[in-house]
Amino acid sequence: MQATAAATSNIALVKYWGKRDVALNLPATGSISVTLDRLTSRTTVRFDAALDGDVFRFDGEAAPAMGRRVSGFLDLVRGLADTDLCARVETSNDFPTGAGLASSASGFAALALACDEALGMNLSSDQLSALARRGSGSAARSLIGGFAEMRPGVAADGRDAYAVELAPPTHVAMQVLVAITTTAGKSVGSTEGMRRTEETSPFYAPWLDATRADLDCMRAAITDADLERIGELAESNALRMHAVMLGARPPLLYWTAATVRVMRAVQAMRGEGLAAWFTIDAGPQVKVLCAPSEAEDIEARLRGLEGVHDVVAAAPGEGPRVLETRP
Ligand code: PMV
């Protein structure tokens, strides 16, 4: 009845920004990501007949807003497992939460796996990914190791909207350097940001078309293990996502001065012949894709930039894992 699972964050190389169904959390397009070997959420779930309500602790403390979201997710799990047991959920991240480091991705991936294990549901990889999607769209991809593609699906009930493996972590020699420019929480969450973009940005329809084309190119670049094509496409796709965000009213500007400084520095490094490309999610952090042989040099340069507090050096990683189960 108790299980602990760990899952890591993933970085989208072709982004998800827009929903075809809000209630079921179905994405408007597919997306492609790389699951990392760092930025881990660790979650323990205990279903317990002695509880008369769900209990949620984040880093040992009560976190009511997050707790409500977790409880909503537990309702889905209870429906699937046909139980009415309440649960105690304890989770911790080894990185700042809610600042564009996809903490919801690793968090809901770890929670989905821990629930499956604790209740002995034996869900398939597709089912687990679709379940994690209900918590957070990007979490569906953190259930898969290495390079993953989220399928948007066509079914109205979302049963075909889950992530699948494109290639194992060792397939492409690359590193992801996460430049942390602030540890403050983000201003507009992804659900509200997507809604605003869908309703007000005149660039939303072209963004969806461009993303569908980028998916085909990225799939081929990953198959060919071609870091240069992967990097160029990822950077371009990220900038297009920020363009559609900037077109919203009121506009969604997730960058800080330090974000732009890192973007410029990465472009300057490329001018010097280094293989480095950036990507940015709904927050101020910049993730730099680079070749492992140049990662140390690039990391030192990033650390030297004003406004960069820390750099987390990650590589493509295996999917989530169950750490412990107890009766
Ligand atoms: O999974 P969500 O709802 O936090 O949305 C993720 C959105 C982006 O991180 C900006 C893009 C992506 O595909 O991960």
Side-chain angles (χ1 to χ4, degrees):
M1 279 304 181
Q2 176 173 322
T4 301
T8 50
S9 189
N10 71 80
I11 302 297
L13 302 171
V14 176
K15 309 288 187 192
Y16 145 59
W17 195 255
K19 300 183 199 273
R20 72 175 166 96
D21 185 302
V22 175
L24 294 173
N25 209 23
L26 295 169
T29 66
S31 55
I32 291 179
S33 61
V34 55
T35 293
L36 303 180
D37 63 350
R38 303 277 307 271
L39 304 177
T40 308
S41 293
R42 200 188 149 101
T43 300
T44 300
V45 180
R46 177 170 191 84
F47 287 90
D48 190 340
L51 290 172
D52 54 10
D54 295 323
V55 178
F56 178 69
R57 291 279 179 278
F58 180 74
D59 280 342
E61 318 243 326
M66 246 189 256
R68 279 190 292 280
R69 212 168 146 190
V70 166
S71 229
F73 185 82
L74 291 172
D75 287 341
L76 299 170
V77 171
R78 283 186 277 261
L80 278 177
D82 200 18
T83 175
D84 52 11
L85 289 175
C86 292
R88 181 182 174 86
V89 176
E90 295 191 41
T91 193
S92 60
N93 291 342
D94 66 355
F95 60 96
T97 301
L101 284 180
S103 57
S104 62
S106 52
F108 280 106
L111 180 61
L113 185 59
C115 287
D116 178 61
E117 194 69 24
L119 291 171
M121 292 197 287
N122 290 320
L123 295 179
S124 68
S125 164
D126 298 352
Q127 289 170 319
L128 265 178
S129 173
L131 173 62
R133 186 203 78 232
R134 299 294 296 273
S136 154
S138 53
R141 300 184 312 236
S142 270
L143 254 309
I144 310 294
F147 295 82
E149 177 164 6
M150 176 71 200
R151 293 187 177 151
V154 290
D157 65 2
R159 65 179 178 277
D160 53 355
Y162 51 80
V164 296
E165 185 190 282
L166 285 181
T170 51
H171 182 69
V172 184
M174 70 180 248
Q175 288 244 309
V176 181
L177 304 175
V178 183
I180 298 178
T181 57
T182 175
T183 50
K186 65 185 165 191
S187 48
V188 182
S190 56
T191 299
E192 160 60 13
M194 288 185 208
R195 189 200 57 77
R196 195 187 295 177
T197 304
E198 289 155 21
E199 289 175 6
T200 66
S201 180
F203 314 131
Y204 184 60
W207 152 250
L208 296 183
D209 290 342
T211 299
R212 290 185 184 112
D214 283 352
L215 285 168
D216 293 336
C217 298
M218 185 61 81
R219 214 178 289 121
I222 289 171
T223 301
D224 296 347
D226 185 337
L227 180 62
E228 188 167 342
R229 265 158 68 212
I230 294 171
E232 277 174 0
L233 259 168
E235 187 174 301
S236 160
N237 181 266
L239 287 171
R240 285 174 173 180
M241 178 180 73
H242 286 273
V244 71
M245 291 164 160
L246 287 167
R249 265 190 196 154
L252 296 158
L253 175 57
Y254 287 105
W255 304 344
T256 62
T259 310
V260 178
R261 201 171 298 121
V262 177
M263 291 157 75
R264 293 255 183 237
V266 169
Q267 288 176 335
M269 287 180 216
R270 267 206 314 273
E272 288 180 41
L274 289 169
W277 298 267
F278 63 76
T279 179
I280 305 163
D281 292 306
Q285 329 293 10
V286 185
K287 292 94 179 185
V288 180
L289 311 177
C290 65
S293 58
E294 295 172 349
E296 222 173 290
D297 180 13
I298 294 168
E299 181 181 340
R301 289 168 186 242
L302 293 173
R303 285 187 184 278
L305 295 173
E306 186 191 339
V308 173
H309 300 302
D310 197 8
V311 177
V312 178
E318 309 285 344
R321 61 198 187 282
V322 175
L323 301 175
E324 192 189 32
T325 49
R326 278 196 218 166

